[in-house]
Amino acid sequence: MSSIKEFFWFCAGANRSILKRCPTETSKFTGIGAAVFFTGLLAALSGGYAFFMVFENTYWAMGFGLLWGGIIFNLDRFIVSTMRKRKQWYKEWIMASPRVLLAVMLAIVISKPLELRIFSKEIDRKLVTLEETIYQKEITDVDRNVMKHPANGM
């Protein structure tokens, strides 16, 4: 269990030697590190899944997923490890704003591929209906042009 805690401390960007001298802060940094780690893990899974949906190649999807997860993990770890307590609450919000924007971006990146997959049958049905509508409109346009100019139609 100690090695998992230390791994999460690494993920949080904490200084282990200081944390060992301040045991009351260890659970806080364990939680922060777990959040950073699982953010990277979910980013890797969603990025790989999105890549697989588009290109249908397992190896490229796994590679892209690992790359995307690593980028998000490192970015999130950097943001979290550089945040410091401020006396004014709005300064803390300013410092946290990149992480909030990252969370919004990740929410979109994670949810869109799943949303498309979950509703793929409904989307396909709607596409077929739209294609039929466009096809019928084109036939109607051709028929109107033939009726207006019957000599051109023959």
Side-chain angles (χ1 to χ4, degrees):
M1 186 66 170
S2 176
S3 60
I4 294 173
K5 272 187 182 181
E6 289 188 16
F7 173 72
F8 286 151
W9 294 346
F10 164 78
C11 294
N15 187 326
R16 287 188 295 189
S17 62
I18 293 174
L19 267 182
K20 287 181 180 182
R21 288 187 284 168
C22 303
T24 57
E25 296 293 307
T26 58
S27 61
K28 177 175 114 178
F29 280 94
T30 302
I32 291 170
V36 169
F37 172 73
F38 287 111
T39 300
L41 180 65
L42 287 175
L45 292 173
S46 67
Y49 183 69
F51 201 87
F52 180 77
M53 279 184 60
V54 174
F55 298 105
E56 295 182 358
N57 185 315
T58 305
Y59 299 110
W60 282 104
M62 288 172 53
F64 177 77
L66 290 173
L67 176 69
W68 180 248
I71 289 169
I72 296 301
F73 172 79
N74 283 320
L75 183 62
D76 198 20
R77 183 177 182 272
F78 172 75
I79 292 169
V80 167
S81 65
T82 57
M83 289 178 62
R84 300 288 176 244
K85 282 293 236 184
R86 306 282 184 217
K87 292 185 181 195
Q88 292 91 5
W89 63 270
Y90 62 89
K91 287 186 179 179
E92 287 184 24
W93 273 99
I94 291 170
M95 291 293 294
S97 62
R99 189 148 197 258
V100 171
L101 292 173
L102 178 65
V104 169
M105 183 186 75
L106 283 175
I108 292 169
V109 168
I110 290 169
S111 66
K112 281 302 171 189
L114 293 175
E115 182 181 345
L116 290 173
R117 181 66 178 156
I118 290 168
F119 296 111
S120 65
K121 291 179 183 175
E122 289 82 2
I123 292 170
D124 290 342
R125 273 187 252 145
K126 185 67 175 177
L127 285 174
V128 168
T129 304
L130 288 173
E131 287 174 359
E132 288 175 1
T133 304
I134 291 170
Y135 180 71
Q136 290 299 325
K137 185 179 180 292
E138 289 175 354
I139 289 175
T140 304
D141 289 346
V142 168
D143 287 345
R144 281 187 193 149
N145 286 335
V146 169
M147 294 296 240
K148 284 182 182 177
H149 309 287
N152 291 342
M154 296 193 159

